[in-house]
Amino acid sequence: MDFQKEIKKALKKEIGKELDLEIPPNPDLGDYAIPCFILAKQYKKDPSEIAKELADKLEIKEVRINATGPYLNFFVDKSTTAKNVLSEIFKQEDYGSGSKKKETIVIDFSAPNVAKHMGIHNLRSTVIGHALSNTYKYLGYNVIGVNHLGDWGTNFGQLIVGIKKHSSLSKIKNVQDLNKIYVQFHKDVKKHPEMEQQARDEFVNLENKKPEAKKYWQKFVNVSLKDYDKIYDRLGVKFESTKGESEYTRLVNGAIKLLEQKKLTKISDGALVADVGKDMPPCLLKKTDGSTLYGSRDIAAGMFRLKKYSPNKILYVVDVAQSLHFKQWFKVMEKLNKKNKTIFEHIVFGRLSFKDGTMSTRKGKVVILEDVLDKAAKKSLQIIKEKNPKLKNKAKVAEKVGVGAVIFSDLFNDRIHNITFDWDKVLDFEGSTGPYIQYAYARCNSILKKYDKKIDDKIAFELLNEDAESALLKMLQLFPEVVESVIKDNKPSLLAKYSVKLAQTFNNFYSACHVITEDEELTKARSLLVHCTKKVLEKGLTLLGISAPSEM
Ligand code: ARG
C-alpha cells in the first residue's frame, strides 16, 4: 500500500479536490501534513477548527491522524512503509519507471559545428539532452536522439581556400588542424580581401556538388566526427540518428514551395523571408544568392522529422542565445502545419563560464571540451591518491569521477540559469557534487561487501524504526515522483538535486546506525536498506549520464 496515495485519495473524497502533502521537517509532527490555511476559504472556518474536524472524520487504514493547531498530521505505519518501499525496489529492475508510455519524442541535442571544437554550449546541450533522453527512455517513451551537426555554411569555403594555400588535405588529421587553417585564413584575408570571394566561390562549388569541394567537405566532417566521438565515448553518449544540416539543404526548396503556396513568404531586402507576426523580425529563408540558411534548414529538418517519426514532441536542447531563432521558425511551422499536433519546444539553457577565467571564450580563447574533461580527470586523480592511496585502477576511477563531476555540475542548477564553473566546488567530495553521490554509492558497496551475504526481502521490517531509517525510506519512496517530474518540465536538475539529498540522507543514516552488528536480524534488515539505497543511487546517476564506480 502506498500511504501517500491513500491519504490523497481519502482527502479528495472528503474535500473534493486533489491536495499536495507536505513532509514536516520534524518527524514528531507526522510523516505527512496538510496546512489547513489552504482550506479556510472553502470551509469559511478557522484553520485549526478545520484540522480538528477533518482529523475526526477521516479514516485511513494503518494511518494515525491528528490535528496540531492548523495542521492536519498523518502518521503512517512505519513497518508497512518499509515493507512497501523496500520490496518494490528489491524486486523491480526498473523501480520508478511507471506505466509504459507509447509516445515518441525526438530530442535534438549536442549539435556541434563541424570543423570547430565542440563548444561549451554544445557540452551543456549534450549533457542535458542525454539526461533527458535517458529519462524519457526509462519511462518507456520511444526516443529518437538526433545529433543535428552544423555541417553547412560559407566557413567551409574558407577552409578549402586556406588548405589549398597553406597545407594539403592529406595533412589534415583533426579539428585542431582545421582550427589553425581558420586562424590563418582570417589573418590572410586582411591583406588579401579577394580571398573572401574565393571562399564564397568554393562554397558555391560545394553547393553545386563539385567533386573536389565535396571531397574537402567530407574530410572536414570525418575528422570532426572522429574527435567528437572521443568526447561522446567519455560522456557515454549515443544518438539514434546523426544527420547534418547539409542533408536538409535539398529539402529546403520543397518547404519553401509549400510556404509560397500558402502565401506566407515575401521578399525583404533581396532575401526571401516568412512573416512571423509583428513582435518578431521575419524568419530568413533564402539569401539573395539562393543559398539556404540555418532557419530554413531547421524548417526542412522539422518537416522531415514530422513525416519520418510522427512524434508527439520535438525538443531542441539549445543555448538561450538562440531563443529568437526558435520562436521564429516554430511560428513558421505552426502556420505551415495547422492541423499537426506535434509540440515543438526549445529547451533553453544559460551560459557556462569558468570562475578562474582560464578557459574564457570571451577573451577569444576557445574552451576545448577535451581539455575540460582531462583537467577534471587529472584533478580527481590527485584527490583519490590522497584519499585512498590503496585503491586499484586509480586512473580509471578518476576518469569516471572527473567526467561525472563535470556532468553533474552542469545538471545540478536549473538549466535556465547561467553557471559558473568553480573547479574546487565541482570536485568537492563533501559538497553538492557528482563525487559526493558516487562516494555514497561506493560506501553502500563496501558495506554490502563486508556483509557478504545474499540480500533478500524477507526481513523484520519493524526493526527499521529509527528516525534516520524512516527518513531514508521516505527519500527512496520519492524517487518515482522525481523521475516523472524531470520530464514534466524537462529539468534534469530535479533528479540531480534529489540524488544529493538521497546521498545526504544515506550518510546521516550511516552515521546514526551501525549496519553490521551482533544482532543478525537487524543486520539483515539494514543491509536490505543499504542494498536498495545503492540501487536507487545508481539508477539516479545512470539517468543523469554519470557512471558509478564501485570503489573510490
Ligand atoms: N549547431 C548549432 C550550434 O552549435 C546548434 C544546432 C541546434 N539544433 C538545431 N536544430 N538548430 O550553435
Side-chain angles (χ1 to χ4, degrees):
M1 181 165 51
D2 180 339
F3 286 119
Q4 267 205 73
K5 263 197 204 136
E6 294 301 318
I7 295 171
K8 279 186 170 181
K9 212 164 88 190
L11 280 168
K12 190 168 177 195
K13 206 170 146 203
E14 182 59 43
I15 299 165
K17 63 180 174 197
E18 189 89 32
L19 292 179
D20 279 331
L21 302 179
E22 282 184 3
I23 297 183
N26 175 358
D28 291 343
L29 294 172
D31 297 290
Y32 303 103
I34 291 285
C36 292
F37 324 102
I38 56 170
L39 297 170
K41 236 192 188 159
Q42 179 180 346
Y43 283 82
K44 296 195 181 63
K45 267 187 205 160
D46 185 59
S48 328
E49 234 168 275
I50 304 173
K52 241 188 250 154
E53 277 177 22
L54 285 174
D56 283 344
K57 267 195 202 154
L58 289 166
E59 240 174 82
I60 308 164
K61 218 174 132 202
E62 291 178 81
V63 179
R64 186 163 60 81
I65 307 170
N66 76 16
T68 311
Y71 283 92
L72 185 64
N73 299 324
F74 302 89
F75 297 80
V76 303
D77 182 73
K78 282 195 175 133
S79 94
T80 314
T81 304
K83 184 167 189 290
N84 290 343
V85 183
L86 296 182
S87 304
E88 206 178 326
I89 300 174
F90 179 75
K91 287 200 185 90
Q92 289 184 8
E93 256 341 292
D94 51 0
Y95 171 62
S97 68
S99 56
K100 297 285 174 217
K101 322 284 184 300
K102 289 203 184 71
E103 296 185 1
T104 296
I105 313 279
V106 175
I107 308 181
D108 179 315
F109 70 106
S110 195
N113 292 329
V114 161
K116 294 190 179 152
H117 286 294
M118 211 188 270
I120 280 297
H121 71 285
N122 299 114
L123 166 75
R124 295 219 66 196
S125 169
T126 308
V127 165
I128 296 168
H130 186 217
L132 289 177
S133 161
N134 290 340
T135 312
Y136 276 102
K137 281 181 188 164
Y138 190 59
L139 291 172
Y141 289 83
N142 173 31
V143 176
I144 297 124
V146 187
N147 194 359
H148 186 73
L149 291 177
D151 64 352
W152 209 244
T154 35
N155 54 318
F156 295 106
Q158 298 172 351
L159 281 178
I160 298 176
V161 172
I163 293 171
K164 283 187 176 171
K165 196 169 156 129
H166 294 289
S167 180
S168 71
L169 199 52
S170 59
K171 286 205 187 112
I172 303 294
K173 302 276 180 242
N174 50 37
V175 171
Q176 187 65 36
D177 295 340
L178 291 169
N179 231 38
K180 284 187 199 140
I181 302 283
Y182 267 130
V183 174
Q184 190 59 46
F185 178 89
H186 287 293
K187 269 191 205 153
D188 290 354
V189 102
K190 281 190 194 130
K191 278 196 220 134
H192 307 282
E194 71 280 4
M195 284 174 72
E196 203 71 80
Q197 187 53 45
Q198 290 166 5
R200 271 197 293 269
D201 292 344
E202 287 291 4
F203 183 60
V204 172
N205 288 339
L206 189 55
E207 289 204 302
N208 293 333
K209 302 197 177 60
K210 291 271 164 63
E212 191 203 38
K214 257 205 111 176
K215 197 171 100 193
Y216 273 79
W217 173 85
Q218 193 61 55
K219 177 91 184 237
F220 304 157
V221 174
N222 293 351
V223 297
S224 306
L225 277 180
K226 213 169 100 202
D227 275 10
Y228 301 154
D229 278 343
K230 274 190 238 156
I231 292 176
Y232 292 140
D233 272 350
R234 292 178 81 174
L235 297 173
V237 172
K238 287 201 179 74
F239 301 91
E240 276 67 35
S241 159
T242 296
K243 234 174 166 28
E245 290 182 32
S246 64
E247 300 209 34
Y248 301 105
T249 53
R250 63 198 163 82
L251 302 178
V252 168
N253 282 335
I256 289 182
K257 220 176 243 156
L258 279 180
L259 282 164
E260 282 172 337
Q261 275 165 13
K262 300 200 173 185
K263 304 212 173 352
L264 296 170
T265 61
K266 66 176 191 197
I267 304 284
S268 165
D269 290 332
L272 188 71
V273 304
D275 244 332
V276 283
K278 283 199 194 75
D279 46 349
M280 281 185 276
C283 178
L284 295 174
L285 300 170
K286 243 182 180 185
K287 283 195 265 188
T288 7
D289 62 5
S291 34
T292 62
L293 285 157
Y294 183 47
S296 46
R297 293 194 290 272
D298 253 332
I299 294 173
M303 298 295 279
F304 172 85
R305 290 169 188 174
L306 285 184
K307 200 159 163 207
K308 174 144 174 110
Y309 304 113
S310 311
N312 298 77
K313 266 187 197 175
I314 311 185
L315 307 180
Y316 294 84
V317 188
V318 186
D319 197 329
V320 62
Q322 297 191 23
S323 292
L324 178 62
H325 162 74
F326 282 98
K327 268 194 204 125
Q328 288 174 314
W329 79 264
F330 283 177
K331 192 84 199 165
V332 176
M333 291 303 276
E334 208 182 290
K335 293 187 172 193
L336 205 49
N337 306 285
K338 284 235 161 76
K339 285 197 196 107
N340 194 290
K341 291 211 171 64
T342 303
I343 295 167
F344 284 78
E345 201 176 338
H346 179 192
I347 307 301
V348 199
F349 55 80
R351 284 266 151 78
L352 187 152
S353 56
F354 290 82
K355 191 181 171 213
D356 59 5
T358 44
M359 291 180 159
S360 120
T361 20
R362 265 225 223 110
K363 288 178 198 143
K365 280 188 265 173
V366 210
V367 185
I368 300 180
L369 212 51
E370 204 174 355
D371 295 349
V372 176
L373 298 181
D374 286 348
K375 188 165 172 178
K378 205 168 135 202
K379 279 184 171 270
S380 302
L381 187 60
Q382 280 165 357
I383 300 175
I384 290 170
K385 274 184 183 158
E386 271 165 39
K387 282 196 178 258
N388 191 356
K390 286 204 202 106
L391 182 74
K392 285 189 211 123
N393 296 323
K394 285 193 198 65
K396 262 198 184 145
V397 175
E399 165 77 10
K400 288 184 181 170
V401 173
V403 172
V406 172
I407 299 175
F408 188 85
S409 71
D410 189 313
L411 295 178
F412 181 70
N413 292 296
D414 192 322
R415 58 182 163 73
I416 314 292
H417 298 313
N418 293 338
I419 42 182
T420 312
F421 203 88
D422 175 347
W423 282 106
D424 293 332
K425 277 196 189 142
V426 169
L427 289 168
D428 182 359
F429 279 40
E430 317 284 316
S432 296
T433 62
Y436 178 74
I437 302 164
Q438 288 171 323
Y439 199 75
Y441 171 80
R443 179 173 269 167
C444 290
N445 255 320
S446 93
I447 297 170
L448 294 170
K449 211 163 148 194
K450 226 194 240 154
Y451 177 60
D452 200 27
K453 287 196 189 103
K454 213 173 156 240
I455 301 286
D456 70 57
D457 63 342
K458 288 175 195 54
I459 60 150
F461 289 100
E462 68 279 6
L463 296 179
L464 299 174
N465 60 10
E466 295 282 340
D467 283 350
E469 289 165 328
S470 301
L472 184 53
L473 286 162
K474 241 188 243 166
M475 218 48 202
L476 291 171
Q477 196 176 19
L478 280 179
F479 182 71
E481 240 174 80
V482 173
V483 177
E484 283 285 350
S485 72
V486 168
I487 66 154
K488 198 168 148 257
D489 293 322
N490 295 304
K491 283 187 176 166
S493 57
L494 298 172
L495 178 57
K497 291 213 159 71
Y498 165 83
S499 298
V500 169
K501 273 198 220 140
L502 177 59
Q504 275 164 351
T505 319
F506 170 72
N507 286 339
N508 291 344
F509 155 78
Y510 179 77
S511 50
C513 307
H514 291 289
V515 178
I516 298 170
T517 61
E518 301 283 285
D519 182 338
E520 225 173 277
E521 283 304 308
L522 185 63
T523 303
K524 211 174 143 188
R526 286 185 174 163
S527 299
L528 176 66
L529 181 57
V530 174
H531 169 85
C532 292
T533 306
K534 176 188 139 173
K535 252 177 119 169
V536 176
L537 283 171
E538 183 178 18
K539 185 49 80 186
L541 286 170
T542 314
L543 292 180
L544 294 172
I546 298 172
S547 37
S550 50
E551 273 181 276
M552 65 186 267

